[in-house]
């Protein structure tokens, strides 16, 4: 988990609306975060989930479209999120199919 310089886990937890204990457990690899927690943390840090989970030392901020998508997804129901995920997978599959053709 990567966080912004100068931002404590306590500050991230407060901004994300979760306990700092949950973040410490995740950081120490004692637990795995739920999808809701990942969304909350990425939103609080203003980064996308991929960057949040990245072990890369550099974290790039999302562009305006990514930010809008994450803001919209935050309000989706579980069913809506599942539909969006299936649609995204379909788009990726279509892209791979076109590359192979």
């Amino acid at each position: 988990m990567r966080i912004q310089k100068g931002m404590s886990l306590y500050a991230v937890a407060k901004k994300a609306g979760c306990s700092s204990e949950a973040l410490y457990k995740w950081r120490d690899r004692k637990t795995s975060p739920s999808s809701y927690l990942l969304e909350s943390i990425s939103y609080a840090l203003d980064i996308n989930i991929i960057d949040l989970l990245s072990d890369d030392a550099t974290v790039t901020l999302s562009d305006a479209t990514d930010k809008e998508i994450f803001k919209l997804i935050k309000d989706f129901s579980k069913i809506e999120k599942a539909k969006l995920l299936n649609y995204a997978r379909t788009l990726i599959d279509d892209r791979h199919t076109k590359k192979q053709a």
Side-chain angles (χ1 to χ4, degrees):
M1 171 177 55
R2 299 278 177 200
I3 61 172
Q4 296 169 349
K5 287 185 179 180
M7 193 171 205
S8 69
L9 282 179
Y10 175 80
V12 174
K14 185 175 181 181
K15 195 170 179 182
C18 66
S19 72
S20 55
E21 182 181 350
L23 294 184
Y24 281 108
K25 285 181 178 179
W26 179 32
R27 181 197 66 185
D28 298 338
R29 300 182 190 264
K30 293 180 180 175
T31 63
S32 294
S34 67
S35 60
Y36 176 78
L37 181 57
L38 286 174
E39 288 175 36
S40 297
I41 296 167
S42 66
Y43 186 76
L45 293 173
D46 199 26
I47 62 175
N48 67 49
I49 292 174
I50 301 301
D51 290 336
L52 179 66
L53 297 173
S54 174
D55 285 333
D56 188 4
T58 59
V59 175
T60 57
L61 293 177
S62 306
D63 65 20
T65 302
D66 290 342
K67 290 177 187 178
E68 183 177 0
I69 289 169
F70 283 110
K71 285 179 185 177
L72 293 171
I73 290 172
K74 189 173 176 104
D75 294 328
F76 281 13
S77 69
K78 286 184 178 183
I79 292 171
E80 291 168 328
K81 288 177 185 179
K83 288 179 181 179
L84 182 61
L85 182 59
N86 285 334
Y87 179 66
R89 287 178 178 153
T90 300
L91 291 174
I92 297 297
D93 289 344
D94 288 349
R95 183 188 313 160
H96 290 281
T97 302
K98 288 178 183 176
K99 284 183 179 179
Q100 292 175 355

